[in-house]
Amino acid sequence: MTGLLEGKSALITGGGGGIGRATALIFAREGARLAIADASRDAAAETVDLVNKAGGQAIALSGDVTETGAVQAMVAAVVSAYGRIDCAFNNAGIAGYQVDAAGKRTHEWADESFDRMIGVNLKGVWLCMKHEIVQMLAQGGGKIVNTGSIAGLIGLPTSSAYVAAKHGVLGLTKTAAIEYAKDNIRVNAVCPGYIETKMTEDTMRRRGEQLMGQVPFGRMGKPEEIGEMVLFLCSDRSSYVSGACYNVDGGYMAI
Ligand code: NDP
């Protein structure tokens, strides 16, 4: 399976590590020209180095996805580099511990923690979609994939705002899929289960064994296993797929 994105340009947010970085390397393998965006420019640059070493082409971008100006600048930079945005993977996100909410039940979340979580994980996805869609309408189409989660499908104790944000991402995905179906823009989501990244390190240290007991595969997923689904959704192989949310979770949601 090679060349699925030959000549296409792709923007990946949260591309400085984890799922975003693994997806970048898969996209590069398939011939895409990449824009790697991350909160940290250094992290984005490290991914660009890896892409270059693998024979691909990429530029590094940085900025906070909650800020309109930063997102506009990010989209403009991709268009300036490649002339268009064929594929957009809106993947930047944070976990509860990053807003000081680890282990907290709904009534224990601070207002600021709730706002930041919704800001990054929900508004950030919407802002990216908004500006990507303007460009995709102008160029005659495109593909968008948003990172949801199994937390977008079920409740998870001590993850209120994360769960709310991810349910919201799936709502945005479905709505945009309908709104832009006639504009040749497909919008889908991938819903990862427990994946080996920086985001899950702490949780796995504390209760990995218990959590893996709930996964039919009995193991975590690898970031690349998400990237392959994102590739499918960004390629012409999924030409009749829009508004869908694909679980990549080792069977977790089947229970
Ligand atoms: P990582 O923490 O490795 O990746 C998240 C990336 O998003 C980081 O590179 C981070 O930048 C970036 N980011 C965070 N906040 C912002 C912001 N405000 N603006 C721009 N970039 C930002 O974790 P994952 O790869 O695991 O996470 C990727 C996505 O997958 C997230 O949306 C997450 O919710 C989702 N997900 C992950 C699961 C898992 O088990 N790992 C399960 C289900 C969903 P930096 O760290 O440089 O600040």
Side-chain angles (χ1 to χ4, degrees), residues 13-21 37-41 43-44 62-67 74 89-95 97-98 116 119-121 124-125 146-151 162 166 190-201 204 220-221 223 226:
T13 71
I19 292 170
R21 175 173 289 175
D38 202 86
S40 148
R41 179 169 286 278
S62 64
D64 186 334
V65 292
T66 67
E67 290 171 15
M74 211 165 70
F89 181 31
N90 299 318
N91 166 73
I94 52 173
Y97 76 89
Q98 290 166 286
R116 181 66 184 163
V120 177
N121 286 12
V125 172
N146 297 321
T147 304
S149 168
I150 52 174
Y162 185 84
K166 292 297 187 181
V190 62
C191 289
Y194 294 101
I195 309 301
E196 284 171 16
T197 69
K198 185 179 69 180
M199 185 175 277
T200 47
E201 268 172 20
M204 287 301 141
M220 296 183 81
I226 306 303

Side-chain angles (χ1 to χ4, degrees), residues 156-167:
L156 285 178
T158 71
S159 298
S160 300
Y162 185 84
V163 165
K166 292 297 187 181
H167 274 72

Side-chain angles (χ1 to χ4, degrees), residues 24-145:
L25 289 166
I26 288 169
F27 276 25
R29 180 192 77 200
E30 300 295 332
R33 295 172 298 162
L34 295 165
I36 309 298
D38 202 86
S40 148
R41 179 169 286 278
D42 288 350
E46 275 175 34
T47 302
V48 167
D49 273 354
L50 292 171
V51 167
N52 289 338
K53 282 189 186 124
Q57 183 185 350
I59 56 168
L61 305 173
S62 64
D64 186 334
V65 292
T66 67
E67 290 171 15
T68 300
V71 172
Q72 272 176 319
M74 211 165 70
V75 166
V78 188
V79 176
S80 155
Y82 302 131
R84 51 191 289 122
I85 304 180
D86 295 299
C87 313
F89 181 31
N90 299 318
N91 166 73
I94 52 173
Y97 76 89
Q98 290 166 286
V99 292
D100 195 26
K104 293 188 178 169
R105 289 192 291 163
T106 299
H107 72 284
E108 294 164 329
W109 277 63
D111 292 17
E112 307 76 54
S113 304
F114 190 92
D115 287 348
R116 181 66 184 163
M117 178 61 77
I118 298 295
V120 177
N121 286 12
L122 181 56
K123 187 182 176 192
V125 172
W126 169 72
L127 262 183
C128 289
M129 287 174 71
K130 174 174 170 158
H131 296 287
E132 291 154 3
I133 286 168
V134 170
Q135 172 58 32
M136 287 177 181
L137 286 171
Q139 70 192 26
K143 288 114 184 163
I144 294 174
V145 177

